[in-house]
Amino acid sequence: MDLDSGLPSIDMLQGLQIWAIEKEKSGRDVSVDIHYWIGRDSAVDEQGAAAAYTAQLDSLLGDIPVQHREVQGYESDVFKSYFKKGIIYKKGSLASGLKHVETNMYDIQRLLHIKGKKPVTASEVHLSWDSFNKGEVFLLDLGKVLIQWNGPEANLSEKSRGLALARNIRDGERGGRAQIGVVDEDHSSADLLQIMETVLGPRPGSLQDAVKEDKADEFQKANLRLYHLYEKDADLVVQEIATRPLTQDLLQHEDCYILDQGGFKIYVWRGHGSSKEEKKAAFSWAVGFIQAKGYPATTNVEVVNDGFESTMFKQLFQQWTEKDQMEGPGWAYNLAKTAKVEPMKFDVTHLHGWPELAAEQRMVDDGSGKVEVWQIEDLHKKPVDPKKYGQFYGGGCYLVLYTYQKSGRTQFIIYIWQGRHALVDEVMASTLNAIELDHMYQEEPVQVWVTMGREPRHFLAIFKGRLIVFQNGTGRDGRADPEPDIRLFQVRGTDECNTKTSEVPARASSLNSNDVFLLSTSHICYLWCGKGCSGDEREMARMVADIVSHKDKQTVLEGQEPHSFWEALGGRAPYASDKRLQKKPSSCQPRLFQCPSQTDRFVLTETVFFSQDDLDEDDIMLLDTWEEVFLWIGKDSNTYEKRESVALAREYLKSHPAGRDPATPIIVVKQGHEPPTFTGWFSFWDPYKWNNGTSYEELKNSLGDVSAISEMTMELNNINLLQWPPDKGPSTPGEGAPAEAPPAMAPKPLSSEPSSSPSSSPSSSYYSSHSNYNSDMSLVPKCPVAAATAVPTAVPIPRERLINKAVEDLPEGLDP
């Protein structure tokens, strides 16, 4: 620790310390996040001090951390992910928030506005019906009783989130000694509503409509602009240099850059060669940029360092590669996140018992299951001759049903293969026939949309190296297009699990020194072996050659081609000859998103550090593993969401900031029927979770005895809970304006029976028969305990000395 930095020793800090480690890996892949959080009412100088301390801590940690500027109510997904049980925004300052409060204290009155899904956030709002709306969930916290009020337009997920937060408050803050009640507008509870009206006053005839959140949609997030920051004389120059799609080579190590993600988020990238002064000024630059652009002050800011970028930053670029992170022809698989294993042949036992391996390889098994294939013809599915399994034509559409066993249970996958030149009607028919096939198997199959040329690895494996994709035609008996006299096929793969043969244009420029090609002519089939191909690749090509052509075969080595070979290709021409050595993208860390419900805006909500618990039964979730996109369909998701899910995934790929390939495979997974290629992306997967899950109604019914609610009803008839009229600006007592004299009559006593009139007379708003009231002060209890203490009843006590105070902070002699 640098004692001259001005940063307090971390070990000596009082209060809560949060060190967020995104992921632990070796070397340069270690990732640390530092967040500084700005409360809605914080002072400007406090905000500046927080930024300065963050910069100093970053420097002390070797310029490794990703720094985040968080604003109340607009926090980043990463920040919110640390608080799985939810975030509660309390009123007041740090001085009051850090005081010790016993867990069994009940002198609480607050109204919490619950929003969001995971994690849920709860903001303390004004204790009044004016704070309510029809579309959301509110929690009235009265210490001994927590009343959850569900708006008539609130969805099931929001209700469940609110109930989870209420249970957390009960068990965590009240030691389990509090009662929870739920008011659903369509099934109202008279007792609970009576308590609410006692505290909040008579409920108005109608509540305000739900407030729509102004969230950035995916199209706004895809609007990327990269700015170069540099000093010219004494001025700082900000110059726009690129828009989407961005490439990594735009970032020079000696400089700093601002990446503006459509005003949704601002990134500052600091090259490792930039000066110390430039690194310190990062947050100031970002805030100045936000002001210059006229963006809201709540805009999220993330400062990333050269070599230690966050996953979200890297995925804004078309491809992001790390130094020395390579993938060559012999690369098998990388299991750094699980364990170091030796390359092995695929074994169904290994894949089923090790879902991480299945996910990494995109393989549910070794492809030894049962295969059935249909081609779409006259808008219906027609069985394909098993002798032609694996042959797909670019002018057609196909359905492939794969059946396999997992843990003694039959599993199904439906592949929907759509040719690049297929008719629109046939493409639509393939989708409809897939839905029909799905229904035949009780909607259990996984559905995989496959675009020609982007076939998944498992799709290759089920055809045992005999997968051949013809560029054109339909291959239908009696209606096949005349085959060209000369055809060229590229063969890539080393065994039956990874080999695919693709037809390419029959010209010399299509060749590649790293592969094997089959050149089929009217009288002979050449097997051309590039200098970079392996013996295994040549063996697989010989097997496929007998399917492609029934003519005599002739092996030709690169550089020893006969004249007839070049003549068939139309003459010599340059072709790719560099050694194949591809960099493996490091930005393929999976990301989970909650899909939007029926709405006119395309807004996804990301769940960071996700787990199985983040999959909601009434939602559709999108898991992006870069090579494919999974759609997880919750069993209670609505029909519209299910019908539009694939279109949504395609829209996601289309709008992705990195300019993703729209042909990326889309895989639909049903709740309870998840394959290991899906579950393997989760750190832990409980296959029995869906059998033992508790629904919202079951949770509500398990709340138990309502004796505490009855007790609260009796207490409200005997203690002073003056909260009506609610505070409304300067006219409120205690804020400098004279109060309206309370009515002379006492309030109507509460009972367990429903009141005859929900909006009773004004007298029900006051407790004048039980209290003294002063225009500038709070209530003075008229009870034997208070009368016997050092606080005489004739001396009023200011409200601020009583409300939300710990026991030790109450006036001397006052019984809490």
Side-chain angles (χ1 to χ4, degrees), residues 580-598:
R580 186 193 312 145
L581 189 61
Q582 300 173 339
K583 291 185 176 181
K584 182 177 182 292
S586 63
S587 56
C588 56
Q589 180 175 329
R591 300 174 68 183
L592 183 69
F593 299 87
Q594 173 209 337
C595 297
S597 54
Q598 190 167 355

Side-chain angles (χ1 to χ4, degrees), residues 14 130 255 432 447 670:
Q14 297 182 1
D130 294 339
D255 297 317
L432 295 175
Q447 300 174 25
K670 316 290 179 48

Side-chain angles (χ1 to χ4, degrees), residues 99-244:
K99 288 187 181 296
H100 173 69
V101 179
E102 296 181 17
T103 56
N104 61 350
M105 291 292 292
Y106 299 117
D107 56 339
I108 296 172
Q109 289 184 58
R110 62 178 178 177
L111 180 62
L112 299 176
H113 180 192
I114 297 172
K115 299 178 67 175
K117 288 211 167 182
K118 280 200 174 178
V120 66
T121 62
S123 303
E124 190 172 348
V125 295
H126 190 54
L127 203 63
S128 164
W129 285 108
D130 294 339
S131 299
F132 287 70
N133 67 63
K134 299 176 183 177
E136 292 174 306
V137 175
F138 293 80
L139 185 65
L140 180 60
D141 184 358
L142 299 176
K144 288 185 178 180
V145 172
L146 299 161
I147 301 177
Q148 176 175 322
W149 183 91
N150 299 324
E153 298 172 13
N155 60 44
L156 184 61
S157 179
E158 291 169 329
K159 296 176 183 179
S160 300
R161 296 280 189 272
L163 195 53
L165 182 66
R167 289 158 60 96
N168 186 43
I169 293 174
R170 177 194 65 187
D171 300 336
E173 296 184 17
R174 312 288 150 77
R177 296 185 290 275
Q179 184 70 27
I180 300 173
V182 179
V183 176
D184 280 305
E185 276 293 277
D186 49 348
H187 300 91
S188 299
S189 167
D191 279 349
L192 295 174
L193 278 176
Q194 205 169 10
I195 294 175
M196 292 182 71
E197 290 198 347
T198 301
V199 176
L200 302 170
R203 176 180 161 170
S206 63
L207 300 175
Q208 59 181 328
D209 294 331
V211 179
K212 289 187 178 181
E213 287 191 82
D214 186 19
K215 288 187 175 180
D217 60 31
E218 301 312 300
F219 301 104
Q220 178 183 342
K221 294 176 186 177
N223 184 18
L224 301 180
R225 294 183 181 276
L226 184 66
Y227 297 85
H228 181 203
L229 292 174
Y230 62 94
E231 293 181 351
K232 185 176 182 181
D233 298 329
D235 299 325
L236 176 67
V237 179
V238 181
Q239 181 183 11
E240 181 177 336
I241 60 172
T243 59
R244 173 195 176 198

Side-chain angles (χ1 to χ4, degrees), residues 518-521 523-528 541-556:
L518 301 174
L519 177 60
S520 175
T521 69
H523 62 281
I524 196 170
C525 179
Y526 295 101
L527 195 153
W528 183 87
R542 290 189 180 96
M543 181 187 71
V544 176
D546 291 331
I547 303 174
V548 169
S549 174
H550 299 295
K551 303 293 190 298
D552 292 339
K553 310 301 186 297
Q554 179 181 343
T555 300
V556 176

Side-chain angles (χ1 to χ4, degrees), residues 271-576:
H272 59 68
S274 58
S275 69
K276 189 174 183 179
E277 291 72 23
E278 289 175 325
K279 291 178 179 178
K280 282 186 176 181
F283 276 120
S284 299
W285 289 345
V287 173
F289 183 87
I290 289 171
Q291 294 170 346
K293 284 283 188 177
Y295 294 151
T298 54
T299 303
N300 190 252
V301 174
E302 182 174 308
V303 177
V304 294
N305 293 294
D306 189 355
F308 301 95
E309 297 85 357
S310 65
T311 297
M312 294 179 186
F313 179 81
K314 290 186 284 192
Q315 288 204 359
L316 298 176
F317 292 76
Q318 277 194 314
Q319 183 176 349
W320 190 280
T321 55
E322 303 287 4
K323 184 180 179 182
D324 301 327
Q325 188 168 12
M326 301 290 187
E327 174 184 347
W331 183 83
Y333 41 77
N334 172 23
L335 289 178
K337 69 173 184 178
T338 53
K340 182 179 180 181
V341 297
E342 295 298 323
M344 64 181 74
K345 287 189 177 294
F346 286 109
D347 185 292
V348 65
T349 305
H350 284 93
L351 291 170
H352 287 174
W354 200 346
E356 294 90 346
L357 175 60
E360 193 83 27
Q361 280 296 290
R362 278 78 178 178
M363 298 281 287
V364 297
D365 68 355
D366 60 357
S368 59
K370 179 183 176 182
V371 180
E372 297 174 80
V373 183
W374 297 266
Q375 184 174 12
I376 302 301
E377 189 172 337
D378 297 328
L379 306 184
H380 298 283
K381 66 181 194 298
K382 179 182 177 180
V384 172
D385 185 347
K387 295 179 181 178
K388 294 186 176 181
Y389 278 11
Q391 300 177 33
F392 294 84
Y393 289 81
C397 292
Y398 300 79
L399 298 181
V400 178
L401 176 64
Y402 182 75
T403 307
Y404 67 103
Q405 297 293 319
K406 174 188 172 186
S407 303
R409 181 178 176 182
T410 303
Q411 306 285 336
F412 308 96
I413 301 176
I414 299 173
Y415 288 100
I416 303 100
W417 191 95
Q418 298 173 336
R420 188 176 293 115
H421 309 295
L423 299 174
V424 175
D425 288 347
E426 291 190 352
V427 172
M428 295 179 63
S430 68
T431 300
L432 295 175
N433 279 271
I435 294 174
E436 181 181 316
L437 188 61
D438 184 62
H439 288 324
M440 290 175 58
Y441 290 90
Q442 290 73 51
E443 299 186 349
E444 293 184 6
V446 172
Q447 300 174 25
V448 184
W449 265 257
V450 181
T451 302
M452 174 181 171
R454 290 301 306 272
E455 292 77 13
R457 301 179 196 178
H458 186 256
F459 190 78
L460 274 58
I462 65 178
F463 293 108
K464 307 301 181 188
R466 293 175 170 81
L467 175 62
I468 304 173
V469 179
F470 296 91
Q471 197 169 41
N472 297 297
T474 62
R476 296 172 187 165
D477 294 334
R479 284 190 277 173
D481 299 326
E483 294 186 3
D485 291 335
I486 299 175
R487 310 182 83 160
L488 183 64
F489 298 86
Q490 181 181 30
V491 184
R492 301 192 70 175
T494 57
D495 57 37
E496 291 185 351
C497 286
N498 62 17
T499 297
K500 180 176 75 169
T501 301
S502 305
E503 184 177 8
V504 294
R507 50 179 179 261
S509 59
S510 299
L511 298 174
N512 188 310
S513 295
N514 297 292
D515 297 318
V516 180
F517 286 79
L518 301 174
L519 177 60
S520 175
T521 69
S522 57
H523 62 281
I524 196 170
C525 179
Y526 295 101
L527 195 153
W528 183 87
C529 302
K531 293 178 180 179
C533 72
S534 66
D536 289 338
E537 290 174 317
R538 289 193 290 270
E539 285 302 314
M540 294 308 301
R542 290 189 180 96
M543 181 187 71
V544 176
D546 291 331
I547 303 174
V548 169
S549 174
H550 299 295
K551 303 293 190 298
D552 292 339
K553 310 301 186 297
Q554 179 181 343
T555 300
V556 176
L557 300 180
E558 182 179 7
Q560 302 177 18
E561 303 88 353
H563 176 72
S564 56
F565 177 86
W566 295 116
E567 186 179 19
L569 291 175
R572 294 176 182 268
Y575 57 84

